[in-house]
Amino acid sequence: MSNHQKRLSVPNSWPVERKTATFTVKAGAGPHGEDGVPLLIVLRDVLGYADNRKEARYALNEDNVLINGKAISDEERPVGMFDILAFTEREEYYRVFPGEGGRLALTAIDPDAAESKLGKIVTKTHVSGGDVQLGLHDGETLVVEDAQTYDAGDSIVVGNEDGEIVAHFEYEEGALVTAVDGAHAGEVGEIEEIQVTPGSAQNNVIVSQDGDEGFETVEEYVVVIDENFTGDDE
């Protein structure tokens, strides 16, 4: 199986130039599905910390590159929305955040903010023993005891070291959100109205913005955040 991906057919979220070469690296198996960006692209094309795959492998073998608190040695490991990247030797920390056009971008954060990551709850199912399993946007699952506390559409912040939930943001009118896909990807505002659509069609969300007209998008593209996720935390 080839480990190359044609640049012209990469997902819109990948921060690569499509016409500079024919191929780029292919994402390996892992979180975020097809939207996950190979770590090599982040190291080489976004940050410029490596010129090629060989240099990236050498850097990763030093265990100085962490994603969500875990040292990564695979340069094809997918990186996606709200992941936390830490470069311990450089003392640099970043959160993956939606940029213009839906491309993944890096937001500098402080070391304390790098100790946990945000996840959008996309599924909520009952498991044996009476507990509830939450499925997050990146494929991670968490088992919780309090079934009434969390709902699909809510966001939670999970500690990287212990996997404990340290914050919970409800999906409701008045909540601060960002769009992670579509024409308004990267924009931030407050939910003004959630329009429930009958049948199998997605609900619409109307988002208001200070000094702007706001925007409308589908529920799938909206993620609840708080003010710490909108820029530099320092």
Short mmCIF file of all heavy atoms in Angstrom, two decimals, residues 171 173 193-198 202-206 216-217 219:
data_model
loop_
_atom_site.label_atom_id
_atom_site.label_comp_id
_atom_site.label_asym_id
_atom_site.label_seq_id
_atom_site.Cartn_x
_atom_site.Cartn_y
_atom_site.Cartn_z
N TYR A 171 -24.15 22.56 25.06
CA TYR A 171 -24.60 23.03 23.75
C TYR A 171 -26.00 23.60 23.93
O TYR A 171 -26.99 22.86 24.08
CB TYR A 171 -24.61 21.86 22.77
CG TYR A 171 -25.23 22.16 21.42
CD1 TYR A 171 -24.71 23.15 20.59
CD2 TYR A 171 -26.35 21.45 20.98
CE1 TYR A 171 -25.28 23.42 19.36
CE2 TYR A 171 -26.93 21.71 19.75
CZ TYR A 171 -26.40 22.70 18.94
OH TYR A 171 -26.96 22.96 17.72
N GLU A 173 -28.43 27.64 23.56
CA GLU A 173 -28.46 29.02 23.13
C GLU A 173 -27.71 29.90 24.13
O GLU A 173 -27.86 29.75 25.34
CB GLU A 173 -29.91 29.49 22.96
CG GLU A 173 -30.63 28.77 21.82
CD GLU A 173 -32.08 29.19 21.65
OE1 GLU A 173 -32.54 30.03 22.44
OE2 GLU A 173 -32.75 28.66 20.73
N GLU A 193 -29.78 30.99 18.10
CA GLU A 193 -30.95 30.12 17.97
C GLU A 193 -30.53 28.78 17.39
O GLU A 193 -29.70 28.72 16.49
CB GLU A 193 -32.00 30.78 17.07
CG GLU A 193 -33.28 29.96 16.91
CD GLU A 193 -34.27 30.62 15.97
OE1 GLU A 193 -33.97 31.72 15.46
OE2 GLU A 193 -35.33 30.01 15.72
N ILE A 194 -31.11 27.70 17.94
CA ILE A 194 -30.95 26.37 17.37
C ILE A 194 -32.26 26.01 16.71
O ILE A 194 -33.29 25.86 17.38
CB ILE A 194 -30.59 25.34 18.45
CG1 ILE A 194 -29.28 25.72 19.15
CG2 ILE A 194 -30.48 23.93 17.85
CD1 ILE A 194 -28.95 24.86 20.36
N GLN A 195 -32.26 25.91 15.40
CA GLN A 195 -33.47 25.64 14.64
C GLN A 195 -33.59 24.15 14.40
O GLN A 195 -32.81 23.57 13.64
CB GLN A 195 -33.45 26.39 13.31
CG GLN A 195 -33.41 27.90 13.46
CD GLN A 195 -33.35 28.62 12.13
OE1 GLN A 195 -32.80 28.10 11.16
NE2 GLN A 195 -33.91 29.82 12.07
N VAL A 196 -34.54 23.52 15.08
CA VAL A 196 -34.74 22.08 14.95
C VAL A 196 -35.44 21.78 13.64
O VAL A 196 -36.52 22.32 13.35
CB VAL A 196 -35.56 21.53 16.14
CG1 VAL A 196 -35.79 20.04 15.98
CG2 VAL A 196 -34.84 21.83 17.45
N THR A 197 -34.83 20.92 12.84
CA THR A 197 -35.37 20.57 11.53
C THR A 197 -36.07 19.22 11.60
O THR A 197 -35.47 18.23 12.05
CB THR A 197 -34.23 20.50 10.48
OG1 THR A 197 -33.53 21.75 10.47
CG2 THR A 197 -34.79 20.21 9.10
N PRO A 198 -37.33 19.13 11.21
CA PRO A 198 -38.04 17.85 11.26
C PRO A 198 -37.39 16.83 10.32
O PRO A 198 -36.78 17.18 9.31
CB PRO A 198 -39.45 18.21 10.76
CG PRO A 198 -39.56 19.69 10.94
CD PRO A 198 -38.18 20.23 10.74
N GLN A 202 -30.25 17.91 9.12
CA GLN A 202 -29.55 18.48 10.27
C GLN A 202 -30.21 19.76 10.76
O GLN A 202 -30.79 20.52 9.97
CB GLN A 202 -28.09 18.78 9.89
CG GLN A 202 -27.21 17.56 9.77
CD GLN A 202 -25.76 17.94 10.02
OE1 GLN A 202 -25.41 18.51 11.04
NE2 GLN A 202 -24.92 17.60 9.07
N ASN A 203 -30.09 19.99 12.06
CA ASN A 203 -30.55 21.25 12.62
C ASN A 203 -29.66 22.38 12.14
O ASN A 203 -28.46 22.20 11.88
CB ASN A 203 -30.53 21.20 14.15
CG ASN A 203 -31.52 20.20 14.70
OD1 ASN A 203 -32.49 19.83 14.05
ND2 ASN A 203 -31.29 19.75 15.92
N ASN A 204 -30.23 23.56 12.04
CA ASN A 204 -29.47 24.76 11.71
C ASN A 204 -29.15 25.53 12.99
O ASN A 204 -29.94 25.52 13.94
CB ASN A 204 -30.24 25.67 10.75
CG ASN A 204 -30.36 25.08 9.36
OD1 ASN A 204 -29.46 24.36 8.90
ND2 ASN A 204 -31.47 25.37 8.70
N VAL A 205 -28.02 26.21 12.98
CA VAL A 205 -27.61 27.01 14.12
C VAL A 205 -27.33 28.43 13.64
O VAL A 205 -26.54 28.63 12.72
CB VAL A 205 -26.35 26.42 14.80
CG1 VAL A 205 -25.96 27.28 16.00
CG2 VAL A 205 -26.60 24.98 15.23
N ILE A 206 -28.00 29.40 14.27
CA ILE A 206 -27.76 30.81 13.96
C ILE A 206 -26.82 31.36 15.04
O ILE A 206 -27.10 31.26 16.23
CB ILE A 206 -29.07 31.60 13.93
CG1 ILE A 206 -29.97 31.06 12.80
CG2 ILE A 206 -28.80 33.09 13.72
CD1 ILE A 206 -31.33 31.71 12.74
N GLU A 216 -24.98 31.53 9.75
CA GLU A 216 -25.82 30.36 9.95
C GLU A 216 -25.08 29.14 9.40
O GLU A 216 -24.49 29.20 8.32
CB GLU A 216 -27.16 30.53 9.25
CG GLU A 216 -28.11 29.34 9.41
CD GLU A 216 -29.45 29.58 8.75
OE1 GLU A 216 -29.76 30.75 8.45
OE2 GLU A 216 -30.20 28.60 8.54
N THR A 217 -25.11 28.04 10.13
CA THR A 217 -24.45 26.83 9.68
C THR A 217 -25.19 25.62 10.22
O THR A 217 -26.15 25.76 10.98
CB THR A 217 -22.96 26.81 10.11
OG1 THR A 217 -22.28 25.70 9.51
CG2 THR A 217 -22.84 26.71 11.63
N GLU A 219 -25.58 22.08 12.43
CA GLU A 219 -25.20 21.70 13.78
C GLU A 219 -23.88 20.94 13.84
O GLU A 219 -23.08 21.10 14.76
CB GLU A 219 -26.32 20.83 14.37
CG GLU A 219 -26.31 20.66 15.85
CD GLU A 219 -27.62 20.04 16.33
OE1 GLU A 219 -27.97 18.95 15.84
OE2 GLU A 219 -28.28 20.66 17.17
#
